[in-house]
Amino acid sequence: MGTALVYHEDMTATRLLWDDPECEIECPERLTAALDGLRQRGLQQRCLCLTACEASEEELGMVHSPEYVALVRRTQTLDKEELQALSKQFDAVYFHPNTFHCARLAVGAALQLVDAVLTGAVHNGLALVRPPGHHSQKEAANGFCVFNNVAIAAKHAKQKYGLQRILIVDWDIHHGQGIQYIFDDDPSVLYFSWHRYEHGRFWPFLQESDAHAVGQGQGQGFTVNLPWNQVGMGNADYLAAFLHVLLPLAFEFDPELVLVSAGFDSAIGDPEGRMRATPECFAHLTQLMQVLAGGRICAVLEGGYHLESLAQSVCMMVQTLLGDPTPPLLGLMVPCQSALESIQSVQTAQAPHWTSLQQNVAPVLGPSTRFPEGRSLPLLAENPTYEAAEAALSPLQGELCLRPTPPICTAVALAVPGAALALPPGVLLQEESALREETEAWARLHKSLFQDESLVALGKILCLLGGILDGQVRNGIAVTAALATAATVEVIIQRCLSHGAQRLLCVALGQLDRPLDLADDGVLWLNIRGKEAAVESMFHISTPLPQVRGRVAVWRGSHCLLVFLGVPAHNPGSLRFGGWLQEPVAVSRSEPEALPLSPQTTGGFLSCILGLVLPLAYGFQPDVVLMALGPAHGLQNAQAALLASVLRGPAGGRILAVVEEESILQLARTLAQVLLGEAPPSLGPFLMASPEEIRALRLLKAQLEPRWKLLQAAAPPPGSCSPIA
Ligand code: Q9C
Ligand code: ZN
């Protein structure tokens, strides 16, 4: 299992044969640059390389009309003048005698990738193709696109594999109007696109690219447009869009497959996009998507016209698909005002269709949140040019090469030597310990809780932590002896700080108190536990995780499914209404059925992670992340796995998970899997957050927003007027 790379060199055989400044950027070197980049970094060699085959005309017919296919077929025998005349009938298109062959290979590559992923041959993959596809329509070529590669791939996944929910993430900087038209009334395909829009003044100049276009008929709410109304959007803006729009909807949609219209004209240096997101941003966007659909991601190249930026961004994506850690994100993590306005407009347009947006916990944007002067880009001036981008990219490239991947992927330190654990292959058992004297010195500094077994465990944990801090080990799991978690966490924090870590993020779950005498700034302590929301300081935050231990009872009626939460196991008579879903769920009995209940709603959990934890974590830009599961943490394994998976992002993959011995077994195995780069298990059906959860999160965000700007993403409560004048 791994990552597929689908390609055929014939796809470099189409090119512009006449003068046309608009089309000349779509050149064969785009593919060779991306491929050379992958080869130079040794990434191609780690992929399962598949040679693309042409799609059949029947496959093209899933989206395109026979007349249009025949028209493109006839271009094979046209001369230059005829090709040029035909090209003029479309907007921003050129034909070449090889166009038909290349365009069929491009579709074929996308289909092979879907087959490889859905048959389980690989986890995920990328198809490097030309011509791109997302602008092309049933009977029209458009914007360099001839056949709609990704749309045909989605139809194929539905027809051949019976998939019912497919998410398309189009991060190309142009609106993929072709995909939007094809699935406009289809609720089985959720299409998300962000694009340079400038209030309609940017190509393709369409009203239907704006946020108010949400799909038609049954498909309402399944088209999600996020228009960027200014150029210069950067890492924080893209991240905010994922955390506050795409991911909440995607979790609620619960896709079985994610297709990515992976255009890299949204990256820095691109002459079309004029945006500022750096290549590493695409590693983070990819990693965030990996928690969806069991990690089944098929990415298909669309645009991307700055060769160096394209190559680096493609490498970042493939590296992440392969499970490598994400490099730290550069730049001030503050979304700009225009981005926040765009995010708000799509939240408002989509709120009627998505529970997770109706419950948006972000506070309303006030004048105090206006963006400070001198925004987030250290790399480029106001209007990025090729030259400025080149200058900005070359040092970056050096940095990318200088950051070696640690030789050891994931290590696990166990409290009891030889405890039988079914750890996944590829995990190193931490046998080596820190020196006895050193371990005892640390233990003495922190109470007398470490004796015998717990002292042995501490020695191994210190050694593992040393490996992470020195770059020998990527990440790890520390299993503490019973009741030693709090003391171990204290030692770990002190050890990190004494090693020179500038910023340490501690996500402490359950009953763990922030160690006394910690200076603010260096350590961000985020406690997720079952008590009141509290902001002790901007670096000491508690958020509740309601402990609704008990059961869910599910009744399926003819029109709706009722889900009751919080039936305590010992008192099945007292029901508390939690929420209801209209979608039929796979429950076939008409009898009430008891299911094990998560300690809180999935909606509440996700709001907490996407709306609070990740914005804080990315805003803090830690060197190391500590995720500690203390007593009574109340997280299900799948929730802990999701949290560990996404917390790999903010600190370049340097994460240490601390768990207590008793809670181990399956949990350690699940955590080890996600730390190795596998997708976390499903959270189960989406249940809307409870009013208490929403209230608590709202309160916290209102207090924290002045310091942590990634929290901003205001959706006005229904009925209120826009706060942005
Ligand atoms: N300066 C793709 O990226 N030209 N197509 C727009 C605005 C057409 C882009 C002119 C751009 C088509 C796949
Ligand atoms: Zn594009």
Side-chain angles (χ1 to χ4, degrees), residues 22 92 132 134-135 143-145 172 174 202-203 265 272 302-305:
E22 185 174 29
H134 70 155
H135 298 302
F144 315 150
C145 300
D172 185 284
H174 301 95
F202 188 69
W203 188 91
D265 41 16
E272 275 289 307
E302 300 279 2
Y305 307 102

